[in-house]
Amino acid sequence: MTVYIDNHTFHYETENLVRLFFPDEKIIIEKEIPENTVPPYIYTSMNINDGNAHIYVRVNTEGFDEADVKEIALSDKDFEKTAERTMAVCLYKLLCKLTGTTKPWGILTGVRPIKLFRRLSDKNGKEYAESYFRDKLLVSDEKIRLSAWTEENERKILALSKPMSVSLYISIPFCPSRCSYCSFISQTADRAKKLIAPYFELLCRELECTAEIVRDKKLILESVYIGGGTPTTLSAEQLYILIKTVRDNFDMSGCREFTVEAGRPDTIDEEKLKAISEGRADRISINPQTLNDSVLEVIGRKHTSKQIYDTFALARKMGFAHINTDLIAGLPTDTAESFSATLDGIFSLAPESITVHTLALKRSSRLTLQGHSIGGDSGAAAAKMLELCSERLPKAGYEPYYLYRQSRIEGGLENTGWSKKGFEGIYNVFVMDETHTVIGCGAGAVTKLKNPYGSDLTRIFNYKYPYEYISGFEEILRRKEQVRTFYNELS
Ligand code: SF4
């Protein structure tokens, strides 16, 4: 699909909106429309005259050719935003008509809708935020309810953060095998076996250097998250050393949460759980994605649902009091009925929190390369699964506490963290809201330095791949010094 952007700067929003309706199509952005252009194409323009901006949108595909025109006064106090939104609404309505569908989040394409909801609430109250979502952004009533509820719970967590608070993310970019929907830059442990030991050693060094800066600048460590990849591809001894390295080097007195994403059940055993427990990490995540064995096979997981139940029981026996489970709605071959059966199984395990993702497929995932597409019927199935979550999770005592969206996500839907009261994963909220600085250590980790007195963020990137991280480690340490410089300049 070719999208023409004539005389305006809203190409980012326009492209994202078109992608929402055509997630699998290649979208080509052009500036000028040649004479005698043949469909399919979308043409958008903004022309100024007589003190007004004239917005024009035309969707011309085979068998459908409609246009919309709107006028906005240049004197509008928020002219740029109003013009962008007006163009998006025109385009959205035409695309709804063309495809015979609407999108649950209307014209919203951003990753953090709750952050926007909070900004609007802070400005003019919750009712204003709700009406803005409904009338200006065309968000569905169901998603408005979800946004308001999530925002209410998030707000209590955000209040815990202080100006000098930071959180720590530690990356273990290895997995036992590659799941078919994944585009994450992780190395399968078999191929990367030789890299794990040197990587691990340098990661501990990076943590020591980072801790020295955190101490020096008197930053308050609020939460720690060891993620990946699959952290439990490390040995029990490495896991214990890693957690101990954090505890020995950082001041943990203000730390409210220490998560180890145990991840896939086929990497978890008693010894590793013991190492995590002795290291006093208090939150683990066991991520089944589904309890349907045939779906597990389709997504390339090398474990059964029985292993999930067994691992969960083991973790409980060993005293873990906060276990999160990740699920994915919209997995290939899964249906609303079997997803509902997965929920039954998950409720029987009674995890303290459940993160319900919706399938998002990047171009590099195996499923995409095999020709699996998103949208259409599979989008409707994923929407049905999320409806089930909205119905059943509250009845089982879970409330939404954080939410985000991704590009190329099934049905234009969302990912939501649900938890029992008092078991919210606070790191997730801090990261998603960009509340305070998150310092990333390890390959692929990104440090986001948040100005506590403003909204600006400065990013520091570590090298993506373990082999680059190992060979360029001195550069990693040099970049980490930017954390110190950033806080020096603040004081
Ligand atoms: S375990 Fe997670 S990071 Fe690893 S391949 Fe599967 S989805 Fe990707």
Side-chain angles (χ1 to χ4, degrees):
M1 174 76 76
T2 306
V3 180
Y4 294 97
I5 306 281
D6 190 359
N7 207 29
H8 65 85
T9 54
F10 313 137
H11 45 85
Y12 184 72
E13 180 62 18
T14 307
E15 185 179 346
N16 283 342
L17 206 48
V18 175
R19 180 161 297 118
L20 207 54
F21 287 86
F22 303 103
D24 290 320
E25 269 192 43
K26 189 163 183 219
I27 297 163
I28 302 160
I29 300 289
E30 295 284 355
K31 287 228 154 134
E32 277 172 32
I33 185 159
E35 266 179 47
N36 306 321
T37 301
V38 288
Y41 67 84
I42 290 169
Y43 175 75
T44 61
S45 71
M46 183 166 77
N47 290 304
I48 311 279
N49 57 47
D50 302 335
N52 288 320
H54 301 268
I55 285 176
Y56 176 79
V57 179
R58 177 177 178 184
V59 175
N60 187 0
T61 65
E62 278 160 71
F64 182 97
D65 184 8
E66 291 200 20
D68 199 357
V69 189
K70 289 277 179 299
E71 235 177 56
I72 305 165
L74 290 177
S75 55
D76 188 303
K77 69 177 174 5
D78 231 348
F79 172 75
E80 276 293 308
K81 276 192 184 150
T82 308
E84 184 177 27
R85 188 170 41 73
T86 304
M87 185 171 284
V89 169
C90 290
L91 178 57
Y92 175 80
K93 287 187 173 169
L94 288 173
L95 292 175
C96 287
K97 200 166 173 189
L98 166 69
T99 58
T101 62
T102 56
K103 298 293 167 191
W105 290 94
I107 64 165
L108 260 183
T109 56
V111 170
R112 300 176 171 82
I114 307 304
K115 208 170 169 182
L116 174 62
F117 192 93
R118 178 161 41 259
R119 217 168 41 234
L120 295 166
S121 288
D122 287 348
K123 195 170 154 200
N124 282 325
K126 185 178 151 202
E127 275 173 23
Y128 170 77
E130 288 173 340
S131 67
Y132 193 95
F133 264 43
R134 183 170 45 250
D135 304 334
K136 307 273 191 203
L137 304 177
L138 313 179
V139 178
S140 72
D141 286 344
E142 190 201 334
K143 298 306 174 196
I144 294 170
R145 267 195 304 279
L146 182 63
S147 300
W149 197 3
T150 308
E151 198 279 326
E152 201 181 311
N153 284 326
E154 252 195 32
R155 192 177 278 266
K156 294 171 205 151
I157 297 164
L158 298 179
L160 302 172
S161 179
K162 299 166 213 66
M164 296 308 271
S165 293
V166 295
S167 287
L168 176 66
Y169 176 78
I170 302 168
S171 163
I172 308 296
F174 305 102
C175 287
S177 61
R178 186 79 174 254
C179 304
S180 62
Y181 54 84
C182 183
S183 63
F184 189 78
I185 299 161
S186 66
Q187 305 257 317
T188 58
D190 274 350
R191 283 180 56 197
K193 235 177 203 141
K194 275 194 247 136
L195 296 179
I196 295 180
Y199 175 84
F200 180 75
E201 202 185 310
L202 293 175
L203 177 62
C204 291
R205 262 186 66 202
E206 189 190 359
L207 285 167
E208 286 162 9
C209 295
T210 303
E212 196 273 312
I213 299 171
V214 169
R215 284 196 308 272
D216 177 39
K217 300 324 300 171
K218 300 191 171 35
L219 304 175
I220 307 159
L221 185 62
E222 296 280 351
S223 66
V224 180
Y225 193 100
I226 303 181
T230 305
T232 37
T233 47
L234 296 179
S235 68
E237 189 191 3
Q238 284 168 327
L239 278 170
Y240 181 73
I241 294 171
L242 182 62
I243 300 168
K244 190 168 176 325
T245 303
V246 175
R247 288 209 172 277
D248 288 352
N249 289 279
F250 288 85
D251 176 357
M252 302 297 286
S253 58
C255 186
R256 301 168 193 274
E257 178 184 276
F258 196 139
T259 301
V260 178
E261 195 181 345
R264 293 165 45 157
D266 47 341
T267 60
I268 306 171
D269 59 27
E270 188 164 351
E271 249 190 298
K272 291 183 190 181
L273 287 175
K274 192 161 168 251
I276 296 170
S277 157
E278 283 177 355
R280 284 178 290 129
D282 51 13
R283 180 175 182 268
I284 59 168
S285 192
I286 298 173
N287 300 333
Q289 319 302 17
T290 171
L291 291 175
N292 182 321
D293 281 316
S294 67
V295 178
L296 281 172
E297 208 178 313
V298 169
I299 62 173
R301 288 283 184 127
K302 305 268 185 263
H303 60 80
T304 61
S305 57
K306 179 167 184 315
Q307 276 171 283
I308 296 162
Y309 285 104
D310 292 348
T311 307
F312 211 95
L314 181 64
R316 282 293 190 221
K317 196 178 99 194
M318 297 184 67
F320 284 96
H322 185 170
I323 306 179
N324 173 73
T325 54
D326 278 7
L327 296 179
I328 301 181
L331 288 172
T333 75
D334 206 3
T335 62
E337 289 70 32
S338 75
F339 185 82
S340 191
T342 289
L343 286 182
D344 291 335
I346 293 294
F347 292 155
S348 75
L349 295 170
E352 281 65 34
S353 55
I354 303 173
T355 311
V356 183
H357 296 269
T358 302
L359 182 68
L361 280 186
K362 295 275 174 345
R363 294 194 191 285
S364 57
S365 69
R366 187 146 45 88
L367 277 178
T368 306
L369 299 174
Q370 286 167 348
H372 184 86
S373 58
I374 57 172
D377 289 349
S378 55
K384 180 77 198 132
M385 295 177 201
L386 291 198
E387 267 172 44
L388 283 170
C389 290
S390 290
E391 275 165 39
R392 300 193 59 193
L393 268 71
K395 285 184 193 151
Y398 298 90
E399 294 193 16
Y401 74 93
Y402 92 109
L403 181 154
Y404 68 101
R405 299 175 68 215
Q406 288 167 278
S407 65
R408 301 197 82 243
I409 193 166
E410 199 53 285
L413 292 156
E414 71 281 340
N415 306 318
T416 307
W418 298 79
S419 78
K420 293 186 176 165
K421 274 233 177 302
F423 289 99
E424 300 82 6
I426 62 168
Y427 170 86
N428 295 328
V429 177
F430 293 146
V431 165
M432 206 33 69
D433 182 73
E434 297 170 328
T435 317
H436 58 230
T437 289
V438 175
I439 303 180
C441 291
V446 181
T447 296
K448 287 188 188 168
L449 297 165
K450 168 79 194 300
N451 179 348
Y453 309 109
S455 56
D456 46 313
L457 279 179
T458 307
R459 291 176 172 80
I460 310 169
F461 294 89
N462 278 8
Y463 291 123
K464 274 186 181 172
Y465 297 99
Y467 72 88
E468 293 174 299
Y469 178 84
I470 294 166
S471 60
F473 186 68
E474 293 311 316
E475 172 62 14
I476 299 275
L477 293 190
R478 202 185 59 73
R479 290 183 191 175
K480 244 313 87 74
E481 280 301 313
Q482 290 174 39
V483 177
R484 197 192 307 274
T485 311
F486 176 83
Y487 283 99
N488 281 343
E489 285 168 4
L490 278 184
S491 51

